[in-house]
Amino acid sequence: MKPTENKKVLDFVEKSAELAQPDEIVWIDGSEAQTAELKAKAVKSGELIKLNEKLLPDCYLHRTKVNDVARVEDRTFICTKKREDAGPINYWMDPKQAYELTSEIARGSMKGKTMYVIPYSMGVVGSDFAKIGIEVTDSVYVVLNMNIMTRVGNACLKALGKDGDFIKGFHASCDIDAEKRYIMHFPEDDTIISVNSAYGGNVLLGKKCFALRIASYLGRTEGWMAEHMLILGVTFPDGEKKYVAAAFPSACGKTNLAMLIPPEHYLKKGYKVECVGDDIAWIRVGKDGRLWAVNPENGFFGVAPGTNEHSNYNALQSTKRGTIFTNVALNTDDMTVWWEGLTKELPQHVIDWTGKPWNPEKFDKKDKSTCAAHPNSRFTAPAKNCPCVSPDFDSLTGVPLSAIIFGGRRASTTPLVFESRDWNHGVFIGSAMSSETTAAAAGATGVLRHDPMAMKPFAGYHMGDYFAHWIEMGKKVKNPPKIFNVNWFRQDKDGNFMWPGFGDNMRVLEWILKRCDGKVGAEETAIGFVPRAEDIDLSEMDYEISAGHPFGIEDLKEILKVDKSLWADEAKEIEGYYKGTIKDRIPAELWDCLETLKNNCK
Ligand code: SAT
Ligand code: MN
């Protein structure tokens, strides 16, 4: 029996089946029994490897094809009727052509297979923020991941009722042919089509495809925002709680910041950090004139390499049960998982992410091809596993934001932290963000590129209009959050990271939140307000920049410095990006901010 009478849902499922011709259709109900059955099926087919039940209960390892390990930006399209609506930095395809092309590829591709129908909600079902999607897929891996990452099952169909609307998602694995891989978005039709991939961001259609690309488009027309941001809450010793949202490009430490453990002396004083989300924020204007944010996801799809007990204890704990690991290494001594950075000692009996025995003697930290785990290997872990998950995680109203933070990987120029002069200037800072590329997307890593608001790969419409939407939102909020920029990645001349990052980022967060209340000083510079070195708490710092060079106040001064000549160059760079890449639709307010920056750096 079909679990819904919603004709639009039934039509979508029927049309999908007509095209892909599966042998059977299975509706996902979100029940434990069905989930267990699917896991057993995936283990039997080899799609999942069952890990040690005692050490990692209900955990599994999955390996993708070697040609399918990351998002593929150059095969990800925004298919609007008018090319200019997708804007200058999205790949665009005519919708008619895109439908035809993907239909051709997907036709008959599920023969001999099962098509799963996943009703899911982004956001808590019943909250004003929540939106429903239906994803059809031929991959059990996708079903099981969606089960962790979103709220899945009959409650979503019930919420849709007889004629509610939803986002249609069609995923067919086909032959995982990289040449025929397409991730298509039709924001004007509430539709996503993904073919020839079976990897994370390309196929868990609730995540980047819906919750960012389609949702950003919806947010613009409906007056809200979908952002590539973590959300965290800080409790002060007096019991007051403040929330922060922060945008960083993929694999730049969002999960680490979202779950940070403050240094010991902060804990002793009574500070606490709690995680509301690690990747996506949906933000609306509340009745009180503030911005309120929810995390529409229900789990974490985090980068595994580098995660360990010290770097991110909370993330590691989150992966201890009910987790699916993708492209990490398998430790065959005890059927647990391993990745670079998990332990100092290298395990001796390991199968690498491609399924081959790994030789620890050949391991060279600097050569990614010798790694046991893929640099973009991931864990899909339920949010409820996280020891520091916020009690507001399931809040229907979300949390009020005191601050918004932008940040990227910058070896030079950008100081550790600075504060914008006002909302519009903050939007300018976000629009001008650059960061070095990471393994989260296919292509070269370590290349500096513009990534406005960390949304370059995720804005579902014209980037100039997206900036204008930010400016418009500023007009709607009576009490806007203050906007900051951080850079944890400054390097010295030998390439050593000058700031320890991780838990020590609490020192910067403290300054940011005190600034929101006007409780701490700053110095006005050409680019905005920068802390004086003595405004940042350095007590009990324990970090060596390099052997025999412990971090001290002079180093802090160095990474807080604003070098006008570098910023004059940066301003030229930003102007080049605006004029040469975004070209039009950039709001006048941002041109004004650029002019001010240029004048300030003279
Ligand atoms: O693969 S995902 O796009 O989901 C992860 C990321 O790149 O942030
Ligand atoms: Mn992300």
Side-chain angles (χ1 to χ4, degrees):
M1 219 188 66
K2 295 179 182 131
T4 178
E5 290 173 34
N6 185 309
K7 202 156 156 359
K8 297 174 207 168
V9 174
L10 296 174
D11 271 0
F12 169 59
V13 171
E14 197 180 307
K15 287 215 173 83
S16 302
E18 257 169 42
L19 176 71
Q21 297 164 35
D23 281 12
E24 58 163 354
I25 298 174
V26 170
W27 291 75
I28 298 302
D29 61 14
S31 69
E32 271 180 37
Q34 189 188 45
T35 307
E37 208 179 287
L38 290 173
K39 284 175 183 164
K41 185 175 168 184
V43 169
K44 204 162 162 218
S45 71
E47 247 176 293
L48 294 182
I49 296 169
K50 171 97 182 92
L51 298 168
N52 186 318
E53 181 60 26
K54 260 218 188 92
L55 300 172
L56 293 170
D58 195 26
C59 290
Y60 299 85
L61 167 65
H62 171 78
R63 300 190 187 112
T64 66
K65 292 257 164 67
V66 294
N67 72 0
D68 190 30
V69 293
R71 281 183 290 104
V72 278
E73 294 183 0
D74 57 347
R75 309 200 69 92
T76 298
F77 292 82
I78 302 294
C79 309
T80 43
K81 283 191 201 90
K82 288 197 213 129
R83 179 181 205 134
E84 62 264 31
D85 289 344
I89 60 173
N90 278 316
Y91 292 88
W92 174 85
M93 199 182 288
D94 171 64
K96 190 165 169 286
Q97 185 192 347
Y99 281 123
E100 277 170 17
L101 177 66
T102 49
S103 295
E104 212 39 61
I105 292 170
R107 184 159 294 122
S109 70
M110 294 188 194
K111 272 186 196 153
K113 293 183 170 183
T114 301
M115 184 176 88
Y116 301 97
V117 184
I118 316 168
Y120 66 96
S121 176
M122 300 312 291
V124 184
V125 181
S127 117
D128 285 347
F129 284 84
K131 294 205 177 274
I132 307 279
I134 307 278
E135 175 167 357
V136 299
T137 176
D138 54 6
S139 158
V140 184
Y141 170 77
V142 167
V143 175
L144 294 173
N145 273 271
M146 286 292 284
N147 241 332
I148 299 172
M149 293 306 297
T150 71
R151 293 156 173 99
V152 161
N154 289 341
C156 306
L157 292 174
K158 212 165 151 204
L160 272 186
K162 276 201 171 149
D163 65 354
D165 290 311
F166 58 95
I167 302 297
K168 302 179 206 76
F170 175 92
H171 167 243
S173 309
C174 305
D175 305 315
I176 316 292
D177 178 349
E179 301 299 314
K180 290 186 184 160
R181 185 169 299 152
Y182 293 100
I183 323 296
M184 305 285 204
H185 303 73
F186 305 86
E188 290 153 350
D189 303 343
D190 291 341
T191 297
I192 305 156
I193 298 177
S194 166
V195 291
N196 274 304
S197 174
Y199 176 80
N202 299 331
V203 296
L204 309 179
L205 299 184
K207 196 171 178 55
K208 307 295 182 172
C209 300
F210 175 174
L212 287 178
R213 297 193 190 97
I214 298 284
S216 62
Y217 179 93
L218 291 175
R220 181 180 169 225
T221 32
E222 296 171 4
W224 55 281
M225 305 161 93
E227 300 299 330
H228 193 202
M229 290 179 179
L230 66 93
I231 309 166
L232 62 80
V234 177
T235 308
F236 287 78
D238 65 4
E240 200 200 349
K241 232 176 181 184
K242 284 194 185 318
Y243 297 90
V244 172
F248 300 88
S250 300
C252 286
K254 279 198 298 302
T255 308
N256 292 335
L257 184 61
M259 299 179 190
L260 83 72
I261 298 180
E264 201 55 42
H265 73 288
Y266 279 90
L267 294 173
K268 278 199 198 123
K269 276 193 246 169
Y271 281 90
K272 196 159 75 179
V273 171
E274 284 163 336
C275 171
V276 181
D278 81 327
D279 196 36
I280 297 175
W282 283 1
I283 304 172
R284 287 175 182 268
V285 185
K287 287 194 190 80
D288 59 356
R290 301 182 72 185
L291 284 182
W292 288 70
V294 298
N295 166 17
E297 300 191 281
N298 203 23
F300 308 118
F301 187 63
V303 178
T307 307
N308 61 50
E309 222 156 276
H310 307 289
S311 66
N312 194 340
Y313 170 83
N314 288 316
L316 194 63
Q317 286 308 307
S318 306
T319 67
K320 293 297 182 193
R321 58 177 60 241
T323 293
I324 299 174
F325 297 92
T326 302
N327 292 341
V328 301
L330 176 67
N331 185 342
T332 49
D333 280 337
D334 56 4
M335 290 302 279
T336 58
V337 285
W338 192 80
W339 49 76
E340 281 66 24
L342 177 62
T343 53
K344 277 212 180 86
E345 269 123 66
L346 306 182
Q348 291 306 303
H349 301 110
V350 161
I351 307 282
D352 73 13
W353 69 275
T354 68
K356 296 200 190 81
W358 180 68
N359 184 351
E361 270 152 36
K362 289 210 175 127
F363 174 58
D364 169 5
K365 250 205 257 174
K366 291 196 188 102
D367 179 357
K368 297 275 185 220
S369 71
T370 66
C371 288
H374 187 276
N376 191 38
S377 52
R378 300 270 173 165
F379 52 79
T380 317
K384 66 172 190 308
N385 280 3
C386 181
C388 69
V389 69
S390 167
D392 297 312
F393 183 80
D394 283 325
S395 159
L396 296 178
T397 51
V399 296
L401 297 178
S402 296
I404 286 178
I405 303 174
F406 294 119
R409 275 177 194 265
R410 294 294 303 265
S412 70
T413 313
T414 311
L416 177 65
V417 57
F418 65 102
E419 179 192 337
S420 63
R421 288 183 293 271
D422 54 32
W423 176 270
N424 287 351
H425 180 228
V427 176
F428 169 73
I429 289 168
S431 78
M433 256 168 80
S434 295
S435 188
E436 290 160 23
T437 50
T438 68
T445 58
V447 181
L448 193 65
R449 72 168 187 182
H450 284 275
D451 192 349
M453 281 88 167
M455 283 288 278
K456 180 194 180 303
F458 307 122
Y461 58 101
H462 192 297
M463 193 50 88
D465 290 340
Y466 169 80
F467 295 162
H469 181 51
W470 265 84
I471 299 285
E472 282 309 305
M473 287 298 294
K475 293 180 190 158
K476 289 188 197 168
V477 268
K478 268 203 312 291
N479 302 305
K482 282 186 181 273
I483 302 182
F484 297 81
N485 194 94
V486 298
N487 177 22
W488 316 134
F489 299 94
R490 277 286 287 267
Q491 291 176 19
D492 68 8
K493 59 181 186 341
D494 302 317
N496 300 302
F497 288 112
M498 294 187 70
W499 177 251
F502 301 104
D504 287 301
N505 291 337
M506 182 66 207
R507 301 170 193 274
V508 177
L509 270 185
E510 184 189 22
W511 181 79
I512 286 176
L513 290 172
K514 283 191 170 161
R515 281 299 289 170
C516 294
D517 282 344
K519 283 188 188 151
V520 65
E523 205 176 300
E524 184 153 16
T525 72
I527 61 170
F529 298 99
V530 175
R532 298 165 305 198
E534 57 276 17
D535 293 327
I536 302 246
D537 176 1
L538 289 191
S539 44
E540 298 178 31
M541 278 280 277
D542 178 22
Y543 178 63
E544 275 201 347
I545 294 179
S546 54
H549 180 171
F551 185 92
I553 187 127
E554 290 310 314
D555 302 300
L556 180 61
K557 283 185 183 159
E558 182 60 33
I559 58 177
L560 288 174
K561 233 188 238 160
V562 175
D563 182 329
K564 274 197 195 180
S565 71
L566 286 180
W567 276 95
D569 292 345
E570 186 83 5
K572 265 193 224 136
E573 233 307 299
I574 299 165
E575 186 167 9
Y577 180 64
Y578 276 12
K579 285 189 175 154
T581 304
I582 308 290
K583 293 196 181 110
D584 55 2
R585 306 198 193 186
I586 292 183
E589 289 86 344
L590 300 191
W591 287 115
D592 289 348
C593 289
L594 179 60
E595 237 4 78
T596 308
L597 177 61
K598 278 168 40 185
N599 288 332
N600 287 353
C601 293
K602 269 181 190 152

